[in-house]
Amino acid sequence: MLRPGTLSLPSLPPLSLYVHFPWCVRKCPYCDFNSHEPASGGIPETAYLDALAADVEASLPLIWGRPIVSVFIGGGTPSLMTAAGVERLLSDLRARLPLEADCEITMEANPGTFEAERFAAYRAAGVNRLSIGVQSFDPDRLAALGRIHDRAQAVAAVELAQRVFDNFNLDLMFGLPGQSLEQARLDVESALAFAPPHLSLYQLTLEPNTVFAKYPPRLPDDDTTAAMQDWIEEHTAAVGYRRYEVSAYARPGHECRHNLNYWRFGDYLGVGAGAHGKISFPHRILRQVRFRQPESYLERAGRGVFLAESGEVSRSDLPFEFMLNALRLTEGVPSALFAARTGLPVSAIEESLTKAEQRGLIEPDHLVLRPTELGRRFLTDLQSMFLPVART
């Protein structure tokens, strides 16, 4: 018999792996990710790879026998790793984890940190999807964002990715300092000229604890950024891309499997400095956070200690956590997935669903949990309706 308040998951969700590489050449003024400029001694690549291998090893009892459906090497700037370092990392992962035969292995790269021979070496090591942080092709916008690459480097990196990788993503931002609607169009058209299988298009936001938050640049007004978003959605659709998530556009069959697992409330083991993880068991869901600072992570890794935080997700928080992710998907998710991923009946969110439907934010067919067009425009409002306080 289950204890009061415990869950009962009918099956465990797919499991992904996230590997965090926390160093960048220079911290961008808009960035709130866990990224750090290296100390004077440079990046301790060997020591960090040792720590990552030990981190995975220590996590094995939590995930015995579960196959890994995707790997994402993010940062920071993972392309600062040597080709030999990436080869060793993937070798260490394969030696410890059962990666599925068609496992999607994505690595982030920045145009200012690539060398031609490295891309080919990353592919030979097993990386089969590259995500390039272009952000803009406009020299003035790149300067405003504090990027270390220029337009020529961005173009060269994308052209090389075209030759080496069958599957790659371009990261672009819009609503940039001083950007007009026409400039945003030119940026997106520059990206589409390379026919990338996948595009991530994010609106720049001023995040707390960033240089931009302290010294805000002048951004386009709301009407202009709304016009940018409308044009992006219409134009990408016209040339064969589907907006399948808030900021993600893909040609058919090239959706990011790793991110889809997040949005469908799948599981992920996170290793490396500051990495987050979510791991399900038959009667509970566990969240973990690694030590954030690279030096602190490395020092504790030497003693076999990796976790800064670890704890169960409460039953009252599960509806919001599930809907926070699932409602980002344009097509939503089957309502049956709510019970499969949370162990709770759909009736647990029925009141919030009804209120959201009455406000025109969610489709009336509750067999599928899908936001309306209005719901996508006011996504934060829709998601907040599933917070515990919204049901008390």
Side-chain angles (χ1 to χ4, degrees), residues 54-122:
D55 199 345
V56 172
E57 194 91 32
S59 303
L60 291 179
L62 299 175
I63 56 171
W64 284 125
R66 296 181 63 181
I68 303 296
V69 300
S70 65
V71 176
F72 197 102
I73 307 167
T77 307
S79 53
L80 288 174
M81 263 191 288
T82 64
V86 174
E87 184 174 5
R88 181 200 155 177
L89 170 61
L90 293 178
S91 177
D92 285 348
L93 296 180
R94 291 190 188 96
R96 291 165 175 81
L97 298 168
L99 272 58
E100 288 194 340
D102 64 344
C103 183
E104 177 190 85
I105 302 177
T106 302
M107 179 175 166
E108 291 184 333
N110 281 343
T113 62
F114 87 97
E115 298 170 7
E117 63 272 16
R118 281 195 185 184
F119 275 24
Y122 296 156

Side-chain angles (χ1 to χ4, degrees), residues 111 114 134 137 149-160 162 194:
F114 87 97
V134 174
F137 290 94
H149 68 270
D150 57 26
R151 178 184 172 87
Q153 288 173 311
V155 169
V158 179
E159 288 177 341
L160 182 59
Q162 279 183 308
F194 296 103

